[in-house]
């Protein structure tokens, strides 16, 4: 059984003198609390895709990612709960013969078969458009497709209910890896509100094109109410420089909220940096907490264990803006 998500996720106020002095209000949209095994924006993006996979009678989910991909782990956990097989195509052929890190080991424990490919060809195949395996529902790297964009738009619907005056003074911020979350949030916001995406990798120009293409695929038009900030990636995807680590640890200490480092910390850092620069003055900023921290300390690397048997007759709850738990059954 795939445990339903607890929606809408809470909205909490961050009382911070530094931001107050800059004329900025900050709230956290706690999507990290949405689901125990498919957390944060992974639930938002996977929910409509899982519904489609079940409705189409697929027997397996297939996706792509790096060695520490949260998306890969989320797909593995969801597939196991739904009684489906799963395949993860992993960037880095050199990893095939190495002990599994904690992230890949967890995916394998959930029954995912891992296939390792050369880094030089990974980007060419990570969209999934070339994949033709029968009975497999294919998800691109990061899970961003038209259905995922529509799933992410539910975040904006929830915010509109939680903040009835959501409008021209509001900026909704999230980290950007593949673009699906910011594309959906921007599309779902009411008139006047803006979406700010913080790139977690080097990709200026490329990411803008990706977000625009995702909105076109989902809605047939671009919303025009979003922008991406590219100065906060910390040197590239997965990199957490010492300054960012100190910032995240300080935020945790002051506000009692654990901060995921590769995505959420970069988005938070951007909010503080833009506030200091005067770019968010008189704005109410809502930062969507899109993920949970890695285990600390991470478990020791280990060879892949045998996959446990999948449960039968699972249920799946789709993402909806109203509070509560609704489900779709697979029989």
């Amino acid at each position: 059984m795939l445990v339903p998500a607890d929606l809408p996720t809470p909205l909490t106020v961050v009382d911070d003198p530094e931001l107050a002095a800059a004329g900025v209000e900050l709230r956290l949209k706690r999507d990290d609390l949405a689901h125990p095994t498919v957390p944060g924006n992974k639930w938002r993006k996977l929910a409509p895709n899982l519904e489609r996979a079940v409705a189409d009678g697929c027997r397996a989910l297939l996706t792509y990612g790096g060695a520490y991909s949260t998306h890969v782990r989320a797909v593995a956990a969801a597939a196991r709960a739904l009684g489906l097989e799963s395949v993860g195509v992993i960037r880095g052929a050199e990893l095939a013969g190495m002990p599994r890190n904690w992230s890949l080991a967890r995916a394998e424990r959930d029954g995912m078969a891992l296939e390792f490919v050369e880094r030089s060809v990974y980007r060419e195949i990570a969209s999934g458009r070339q994949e033709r395996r029968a009975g497999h529902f294919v998800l691109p790297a990061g899970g961003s497709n038209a259905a995922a964009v529509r799933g992410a738009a539910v975040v904006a619907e929830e915010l509109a209910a939680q903040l009835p005056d959501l409008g021209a003074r509001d900026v909704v911020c999230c980290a950007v890896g593949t673009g699906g979350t910011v594309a959906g949030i921007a599309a779902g916001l009411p008139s006047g509100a803006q979406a700010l995406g913080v790139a977690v990798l080097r990709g200026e120009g490329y990411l803008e094109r990706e977000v625009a293409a995702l909105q076109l695929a989902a809605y047939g038009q671009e919303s025009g109410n979003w922008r991406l900030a590219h100065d906060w990636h910390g040197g590239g995807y997965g990199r957490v420089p010492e300054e960012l680590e100190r910032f995240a640890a300080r935020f945790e200490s002051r506000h009692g909220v654990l901060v995921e480092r590769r995505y959420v910390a970069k988005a938070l850092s951007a909010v503080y940096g833009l506030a200091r620069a005067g770019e968010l003055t008189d704005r109410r900023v809502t930062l969507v907490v899109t993920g949970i921290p890695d285990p600390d300390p991470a478990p020791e690397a280990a060879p892949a264990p045998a996959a446990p048997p999948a449960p039968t007759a699972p249920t799946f709850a789709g993402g909806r803006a109203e509070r509560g738990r609704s489900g779709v059954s697979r029989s």
Side-chain angles (χ1 to χ4, degrees):
M1 175 180 180
L2 184 57
V3 177
D6 192 8
L7 302 177
T9 54
L11 187 65
T12 61
V13 176
V14 175
D15 184 10
D16 192 298
E18 179 182 347
L19 294 178
V24 178
E25 298 178 31
L26 177 62
R27 286 164 172 76
L28 302 180
K29 177 67 167 159
R30 296 296 306 274
D31 268 23
D32 55 317
L33 304 178
H35 197 272
T37 59
V38 187
N41 67 334
K42 303 311 175 189
W43 176 270
R44 304 287 191 179
K45 296 198 291 183
L46 279 175
N49 281 292
L50 294 175
E51 290 177 338
R52 178 65 181 275
V54 170
D56 288 353
C58 295
R59 62 178 176 82
L61 304 177
L62 185 150
T63 196
Y64 306 80
Y68 289 92
S69 170
T70 304
H71 168 70
V72 166
R73 298 195 307 275
V75 169
R80 179 188 179 188
L82 289 169
L84 301 174
E85 301 170 22
S86 62
V87 178
V89 181
I90 307 301
R91 180 178 61 246
E94 74 280 2
L95 301 174
M98 298 174 62
R100 302 292 190 251
N101 63 36
W102 68 268
S103 183
L104 295 179
R106 181 173 297 177
E108 288 190 317
R109 283 199 300 272
D110 280 328
M112 177 172 274
L114 301 181
E115 301 176 359
F116 298 87
V117 300
E118 295 288 347
R119 296 174 185 270
S120 59
V121 301
Y122 175 80
R123 177 172 279 192
E124 299 175 13
I125 65 172
S127 69
R129 287 189 288 267
Q130 302 175 39
E131 184 56 61
R132 296 292 185 272
R133 299 187 211 190
H136 287 63
F137 189 88
V138 180
L139 293 154
S144 290
N145 57 14
V149 171
R150 292 189 288 268
V154 177
V155 174
E157 295 175 20
E158 291 180 11
L159 284 174
Q162 292 168 319
L163 297 170
D165 61 341
L166 187 69
R169 76 184 185 101
D170 285 285
V171 176
V172 181
C173 177
C174 68
V176 174
T178 55
T181 300
V182 72
I185 289 173
L189 287 174
S191 177
Q194 299 286 314
L196 170 65
V198 178
V200 302
L201 67 160
R202 298 178 185 272
E204 189 165 0
Y206 164 76
L207 284 175
E208 278 82 358
R209 292 190 295 273
E210 289 294 298
V211 174
L214 285 164
Q215 286 194 331
L216 286 170
Y219 300 107
Q221 61 183 3
E222 298 178 43
S223 64
N225 61 340
W226 56 273
R227 70 182 180 96
L228 304 185
H230 289 277
D231 295 332
W232 311 94
H233 53 65
Y237 180 75
R239 296 187 179 182
V240 183
E242 290 184 9
E243 182 180 1
L244 182 63
E245 175 61 38
R246 289 194 298 269
F247 166 81
R250 187 167 60 249
F251 186 92
E252 291 176 332
S253 177
R254 289 178 177 176
H255 302 293
V257 177
L258 296 179
V259 178
E260 186 275 330
R261 297 312 201 247
R262 292 189 294 274
Y263 288 84
V264 179
K266 294 179 180 183
L268 263 178
S269 179
V271 169
Y272 278 77
L274 293 171
R276 287 192 295 270
E279 296 188 34
L280 296 174
T281 302
D282 297 327
R283 294 300 190 106
R284 179 171 61 185
V285 178
T286 299
L287 184 130
V288 182
V289 183
T290 52
I292 61 176
D294 293 342
D296 185 22
E300 292 294 326
T312 58
T315 61
F316 163 70
R320 300 184 184 274
E322 66 269 15
R323 190 74 180 182
R325 296 169 180 262
S326 58
V328 175
S329 64
R330 175 178 181 268
S331 57

